[in-house]
Amino acid sequence: MTDKITLAISKGRILKETIPLLERMGMAPVEDLGKTRKLLIDTENPDVRVVVIRATDVPTYVQYGAADLGIAGKDILMELEGDGLYEVLDLGICKCRLMLAGKQAGTQSGGRLRVATKYVKSAQQYFAQQGKQVEIIKLYGSMELGPLTGLTDLIVDLVDTGNTLRANGLQPIDHIADISSRLVANKASLKVRFDTLQAVISQFRNAIAEI
Ligand code: PRT
Ligand code: MG
């Protein structure tokens, strides 16, 4: 057991945008994350270490208290089941939109529409609000292929520049939610390790205020 605070961050774009924040906070990982194969890494702050894991695993580590803090996309948090996690701060990084998209209007098949997405819960909520009955097909990646292969009529996916949609002949149809990365905390840790966690949280708050 360690008494350091553990911060879970996902590989990929969130890590890339988080590193400058951590540097500003004096909490940069002491090893080059692009090179090291280590997944549990100390930081310049002796009270804090980071674990670098899959984006979808970050909330799980925090829910179970294996990490005290985590940085996760709102898209992932909206899909979350269960308790134990508290959203502390909108970090305003890795911004994008959750969108409904598809081929040109009128090219959809008749009958009940099929929708490909990784975001089943958000899609279900969206279509329920619209009063539309659709068949949702869960995919784990490359949602754009759904309409191109005839698997589905529509997709619900993240859009940033829109280049991926355009490159695949798809069009945005509706804006479902604004997405950014959030700092989350384990609820029990917040009580038990209040002072240390609050110190780190206010460092995050200051660092994003400087952007
Ligand atoms: O790869 P792995 O399965 O481990 O995880 P991941 O693919 O979820 O990780 P990563 O690093 O790709 O994304 C992590 C988080 O970044 C997401 O959970 C979002 O909160 C956030 N984010 C911000 C994005 C985007 N912008 C984004 N544009 N995640 C993905 N995309 C993808 C999108 O799915 C689509 O394929 O980029 C494509 C669209 O981008 P544009 O610019 O072409 O519109
Ligand atoms: Mg990815």
Side-chain angles (χ1 to χ4, degrees):
M1 263 305 276
T2 172
D3 52 9
K4 282 179 194 268
I5 280 187
T6 303
L7 168 67
I9 314 175
S10 59
K11 300 173 193 164
R13 64 184 88 211
I14 292 184
L15 182 63
K16 223 173 126 202
E17 292 197 28
T18 303
I19 294 290
L21 281 183
L22 295 178
E23 284 171 350
R24 221 170 296 150
M25 293 160 60
M27 209 182 283
V30 295
E31 292 186 53
D32 183 346
L33 295 180
K35 290 193 185 131
T36 182
R37 288 180 174 257
K38 268 206 210 167
L39 300 174
L40 194 53
I41 301 146
D42 285 332
T43 72
E44 287 169 352
N45 181 333
D47 290 333
V48 183
R49 61 180 190 167
V50 295
V51 275
V52 182
I53 51 185
R54 291 284 297 263
T56 42
D57 290 337
V58 168
T60 310
Y61 274 71
V62 177
Q63 273 180 320
Y64 285 90
D68 307 282
L69 294 172
I71 298 176
K74 184 67 181 175
D75 50 313
I76 303 289
L77 296 172
M78 291 190 309
E79 294 297 306
L80 210 59
E81 303 288 345
D83 209 7
L85 179 152
Y86 182 72
E87 200 179 300
V88 182
L89 203 58
D90 183 349
L91 296 174
I93 57 169
C94 295
K95 284 187 182 168
C96 59
R97 289 149 290 148
L98 186 66
M99 305 267 319
L100 176 67
K103 288 203 260 188
Q104 239 166 355
T107 56
Q108 279 99 21
S109 63
R112 186 148 127 171
L113 294 178
R114 291 200 299 219
V115 184
T117 190
K118 181 174 152 184
Y119 303 104
V120 172
K121 198 170 152 188
S122 298
Q124 275 167 344
Q125 263 171 17
Y126 168 76
F127 286 107
Q129 275 163 10
Q130 304 276 314
K132 286 187 187 142
Q133 296 252 342
V134 300
E135 186 179 343
I136 293 173
I137 298 179
K138 166 118 191 177
L139 291 179
Y140 292 87
S142 305
M143 267 70 90
E144 305 83 16
L145 278 175
L148 299 187
T149 57
L151 176 66
T152 65
D153 304 280
L154 300 164
I155 64 170
V156 168
D157 195 11
L158 301 177
V159 177
D160 179 16
T161 59
N163 289 340
T164 306
L165 290 184
R166 271 191 295 279
N168 290 292
L170 300 177
Q171 298 197 335
I173 296 172
D174 202 2
H175 175 267
I176 299 175
D178 283 321
I179 303 295
S180 56
S181 295
R182 312 295 162 99
L183 181 66
V184 293
N186 175 268
K187 279 187 181 166
S189 298
L190 266 183
K191 292 197 187 117
V192 178
R193 316 184 67 183
F194 184 82
D195 292 336
T196 330
L197 277 180
Q198 283 307 323
V200 174
I201 291 166
S202 51
Q203 277 183 288
F204 268 107
R205 199 171 279 126
N206 294 338
I208 59 171
E210 284 170 29
I211 302 178

